[in-house]
Amino acid sequence: MYGLIVIGLLWAAFLFLLRRDLASAWAEPCLRAPVLVFEGDDWGFGPPAQADALRDIAGVLRRHADAEGRHPVMTLGVVLSGPDPERPDEPEAGLRLDDALLRPVLDSINDGARDRVFALQLHGMQHYHPAVLDRACRADPALAAWRRQPLPATEDLPSPLQSRWTDASVLPSRPLDAADIRQRATAEVTEFVRVFGQPPAVAVPPTFVWNDQVESAWAAAGVQVIVTPGERYEARGSDGLPVDSGHLYRNGQRCPSGLMAVVRNDYYEPVRGHRAPQGLEALVRKWRQRRPLLLETHRSNFVGRHARHPESLQALDDLLLGAQQGFPDIRFLSVEALAAAYAAGNGLIDRRPWVRLQALAARVLVSGRRRKIAALLSGLTLLALAGAF
Ligand SMILES: [Zn+2]
């Protein structure tokens, strides 16, 4: 009897230590079917070779469909503008995505969106802050040279300068003026509407550095959903790396700004060696947690100096084939549709208590240590029960 009391106390201590994770994991809805979304970033302004790459990606996606006839979706985090080749040293003079020079890229984006294999998300007016980049260019001739290339790739900028919502012209970065953030966040939504004829439902902060002011301005301009990595960075540290802010996000969470959060929770970057087996493993893991799999994947797999276009297309195709074979009831959705399912709370959402409890365990017992402690306590509980009766 005393053994059972001691084990009960040990369980209580273990659960007490996990209380925050448990509360957050319990609050996140559970899915009724596995969901796979490719989250493609950085498309739009940049090399004209994107036009063919996007056409090829759309071709692969069109070959597949889920049980309800929906094609797999690659969301495109769209960058609307970049340095104007005729006025490269004027920071605010941007070449727009509907300029004749980028027309083939825009056509490929629109073709894929029309066939619902692409879903367009706002990534930013630029993949940097023009005034911040300008300050950095004055101090660094190599950066000034980058800006003078025709249609340069923003992937080639130093990582801190790819953050749009902090001043990383010096490190550690400094906060931007609130009015500047409001004006730019509003203007980029307006530009998205001008180019695509509708507001972006979803926004993806470049390099996941953003703050409340960005969220509020986007929400006021009509954005409904924000893609997060599960946490928020607000600055770059003296080493240039993103700095934790302590803000955490979960799928379906309603933020104080009014935006709904979704969590991008794994990578699929074929240039870094990711292939179908890793993608399928991630799908198994997320499905056990009753979460969607949102796979981050960048344009740099398909276009640019390090791209491996044919291998990346093959990796996409292989993963889609494996996913359909391993999970016949898989759903291919856009982030917007996924967020709508979370908001509605029915259809795709599973409320059965035993499913939620299983998902809770899978969500919380993520580290080997936690699993070992839970297994040890379960074993001790069984032994004690066997001895008591
Ligand atoms: Zn990006």
Side-chain angles (χ1 to χ4, degrees), residues 41-42 123 127:
D41 272 352
D42 302 344
H123 202 26
H127 206 304

Side-chain angles (χ1 to χ4, degrees), residues 198-245:
Q198 55 187 16
V202 183
V204 189
T207 77
F208 289 129
V209 173
W210 82 99
N211 60 22
D212 280 334
Q213 292 149 358
V214 180
E215 269 189 42
S216 300
W218 276 342
V223 176
Q224 297 158 39
V225 181
I226 183 165
V227 175
T228 76
E231 58 186 323
R232 182 163 100 190
Y233 309 110
E234 292 190 2
R236 294 280 187 157
S238 47
D239 53 3
L241 294 173
V243 181
D244 281 341
S245 68

